[in-house]
Amino acid sequence: MGMSTNDHTLRVYDSIIGLLSSEDNPTPLVRLHKVVPFSHTQVFAKLEWYNPFGAVKDRVAANMIRDAEDRGVLEAGKKLVEATSGNTGLGLAMVGNAKGYALRTPLSLAIPLEKRTVLRFFGADLVELDDSLCPAPGAPEGAIALAMETADTQPDFVLLNQYENEANPDSHYRTTGPEIWKQTQGTVTHFVAGLGTCGTITGTGKFLKEQRDAVQVLGVHPEDGHDIPGVRSLRQLSQTKLFRPEQYDGTTEVTNREAFDLCLRLNREESIIAGPSSGMALAGALKMVPDEPGNVVVVVFPDNVFKYASSFQRHFPYICPGDKKDGDDSGPSQADIFLGEMMENLKNPHDSVRVKELNEQLGSTEKPLVIDVRPPDFYEKNRIPGSINIPEDDLAKRASELPSDRDAAIVMVCGIGKFSKSTVLYLKSMGYRNARSMKGGINEWVRKGFATESS
Ligand SMILES: Cc1ncc(COP(=O)(O)O)c(C=O)c1O
């Protein structure tokens, strides 16, 4: 008798696709002890990096492809195009490799280099853009818009669109929900998930509530301006099709600091290699769930630490300093610490201006000079009327074009309000005392419906 394959007990599989999680092959549930301040409530983490390609999105990628094949929109010779914050791209690239579909993925330059490098290594064709970490819904020149444009104009590309595709939550209705119900033998009382596309919470929540309506379905989102890949702030969620708060029992906000600090504790105290959005989800669970006998909480941990080294260097410069010169092991240099503090200071409200405020100022006699630091092709496509274009990389060599008056009111503008911050720092180092960054960038300006021009 030959070897039995696709045997979850023996864990022998015909192909990697057989390892995708399901009720018979669930991702592990692990109880948390040291980081949980409860004496009664039990908290379990569901470790989604046990999926074959390392994240919760493997479920979504496989189910969206299966669904598209079943509906006849995806067949041999077709290519995939999908906007992603990383993990869906990784899942689609690998399921695509196994099934013969190439992947093109527009994404944000803000995504950690490690993740973009692995995507390339998996064979994905990356289009890097000036967009927010979790592609901003409705951003005219963002990743989602480009993916849609590609699918509309190039017939051999298929957009599965995780942000609107019911096969996203359906993947969790078919797998994550049944796994949790079986693994907890129906004793789960609270289900908690971080909110990105909202496929995890909407699909899993629907299944668990069908088993017992009293199961509390709770969502966790980051603060505005966060840098936690994969999840969305409340402002972004308001434009997320699969975000259905009427089906949840509660949501809460968690700060960047809270998320990264608990992520560190999970790794250090529980020896669980959880990533930043897992720290965020758990921090939210600890805020929302009471300490009561009989409470069984399951928190989804979407992926692990190994794709976030550069995020940890940014958030924990003392613990994870960048590279040092040979033989120099004295921790972060004074320059690193100083730069870090300066960037922190930059966050003070005096150095940024909201789009509404700028729009009013542009209507006044005291209008500031608006400098758009994006690459020329973005500037030509749409810009604030009257703004001039000095791309970030050219600022030093085109300093002569800046006002001679160091008190001149200047507003720096980029796509999402991230890169403009460091250009304000640069102007400050040149002695400009009234330079500010426009919060949210052109994305926010357009979202607010203010006038733009193009050439
Ligand atoms: C790291 C990470 N955390 C959380 C999420 C949120 O999951 P969902 O999109 O199902 O809401 C994602 C989604 O991409 C993710 O990649």
Side-chain angles (χ1 to χ4, degrees):
M1 191 181 68
M3 267 177 69
S4 63
T5 56
N6 292 335
D7 180 326
H8 295 311
T9 337
L10 293 176
R11 296 189 70 72
V12 179
Y13 299 93
D14 209 27
S15 88
I16 191 68
I17 298 295
L19 249 174
L20 281 162
S21 41
S22 65
E23 207 178 343
D24 303 330
N25 176 38
T27 54
L29 275 189
V30 176
R31 177 128 186 232
L32 304 177
H33 299 277
K34 297 184 185 137
V35 300
V36 170
F38 296 144
S39 15
H40 304 290
T41 293
Q42 298 182 53
V43 181
F44 291 84
K46 190 156 178 63
L47 311 186
E48 288 297 302
W49 52 87
Y50 280 78
N51 278 294
F53 316 121
V56 66
K57 289 292 177 164
D58 299 356
R59 300 170 186 267
V60 176
N63 197 48
M64 290 199 299
I65 287 177
R66 177 205 54 74
D67 170 70
E69 289 172 335
D70 291 357
R71 289 184 291 115
V73 291
L74 188 57
E75 64 216 359
K78 288 278 185 184
K79 290 183 262 189
L80 297 170
V81 59
E82 186 78 23
T84 173
S85 64
N87 283 334
T88 304
L90 294 168
L92 285 174
M94 290 308 247
V95 177
N97 284 348
K99 292 194 158 193
Y101 304 119
L103 171 70
R104 175 177 296 173
T105 179
L107 45 66
S108 160
L109 270 167
I111 289 178
L113 179 60
E114 307 87 290
K115 232 175 182 178
R116 287 182 276 134
T117 304
V118 175
L119 264 169
R120 284 197 171 93
F121 194 73
F122 284 4
D125 162 22
L126 268 55
V127 185
E128 290 166 319
L129 299 166
D130 191 359
D131 195 348
S132 51
L133 263 175
C134 194
E141 83 252 351
I144 297 174
L146 184 58
M148 288 180 165
E149 189 193 319
T150 307
D152 291 347
T153 56
Q154 302 176 49
D156 52 354
F157 276 98
V158 173
L159 170 65
L160 298 174
N161 193 358
Q162 60 169 330
Y163 300 96
E164 301 183 8
N165 191 332
E166 287 300 332
N168 175 353
D170 177 62
S171 70
H172 296 284
Y173 181 85
R174 288 163 177 257
T175 61
T176 322
E179 290 173 33
I180 291 170
W181 190 251
K182 186 172 175 188
Q183 288 171 301
T184 63
Q185 288 137 353
T187 61
V188 57
T189 56
H190 297 76
F191 170 71
V192 184
L195 303 177
T197 66
C198 295
T200 307
I201 190 170
T202 302
T204 313
K206 182 165 178 277
F207 178 86
L208 292 174
K209 279 202 173 286
E210 281 175 5
Q211 313 315 304
R212 190 174 64 244
D213 190 52
V215 174
Q216 296 295 290
V217 173
L218 305 170
V220 185
H221 57 80
E223 60 183 335
D224 226 1
H226 69 96
D227 67 342
I228 304 170
V231 288
R232 286 181 161 181
S233 66
L234 203 53
R235 184 170 57 74
Q236 291 180 315
L237 286 170
S238 61
Q239 297 179 76
T240 301
K241 291 250 170 8
L242 302 170
F243 177 54
R244 298 177 182 146
E246 71 286 357
Q247 296 177 12
Y248 320 150
D249 298 287
T251 63
T252 193
E253 179 165 297
V254 162
T255 67
N256 240 15
R257 191 77 266 154
E258 288 168 327
F260 277 91
D261 285 354
L262 197 47
C263 175
L264 178 68
R265 291 192 61 202
L266 280 164
N267 283 268
R268 292 269 176 106
E269 299 170 40
E270 301 277 358
S271 306
I272 290 184
I273 55 172
S277 73
S278 304
M280 183 201 76
L282 180 62
L286 301 183
K287 287 187 184 187
M288 291 187 282
V289 179
D291 184 9
E292 282 161 10
N295 277 354
V296 174
V297 184
V298 172
V299 185
V300 173
F301 280 15
D303 68 358
N304 64 34
V305 287
F306 299 119
K307 287 172 277 198
Y308 302 106
S310 52
S311 307
F312 297 135
Q313 277 176 353
R314 216 177 22 258
H315 285 275
F316 303 104
Y318 303 95
I319 299 173
C320 314
D323 281 347
K324 296 283 126 238
K325 290 178 251 358
D326 291 351
D328 167 1
D329 54 5
S330 57
S333 71
Q334 258 334 89
D336 290 342
I337 295 168
F338 196 55
L339 191 62
E341 299 297 342
M342 261 202 242
M343 292 306 281
E344 265 319 297
N345 294 342
L346 248 189
K347 292 208 180 82
N348 76 44
H350 312 302
D351 290 308
S352 60
V353 58
R354 292 187 176 285
V355 290
K356 191 162 166 298
E357 202 189 332
L358 177 61
N359 186 52
E360 279 149 19
Q361 287 169 5
L362 290 177
S364 75
T365 49
E366 304 288 302
K367 65 171 88 190
L369 168 65
V370 178
I371 301 179
D372 191 319
V373 298
R374 295 173 300 159
D377 49 343
F378 288 110
Y379 176 78
E380 273 137 35
K381 235 195 244 161
N382 75 343
R383 59 177 176 269
I384 294 174
S387 61
I388 65 168
N389 185 212
I390 306 180
E392 185 186 0
D393 302 348
D394 302 349
L395 210 49
K397 62 175 181 274
R398 290 176 55 187
S400 59
E401 295 170 43
L402 296 169
S404 52
D405 170 8
R406 292 296 191 262
D407 287 317
I410 302 174
V411 174
M412 308 304 279
V413 170
C414 69
I416 58 171
K418 187 166 182 289
F419 300 100
S420 55
K421 280 185 193 162
S422 41
T423 61
V424 166
L425 186 65
Y426 181 70
L427 288 193
K428 281 181 167 245
S429 69
M430 294 174 68
Y432 286 94
R433 287 177 283 277
N434 191 2
R436 291 173 297 160
S437 161
M438 186 178 82
K439 261 184 164 300
I442 287 285
N443 283 2
E444 186 64 9
W445 181 270
V446 171
R447 212 175 63 77
K448 281 282 187 331
F450 295 130
T452 61
E453 63 185 20
S454 58
S455 45

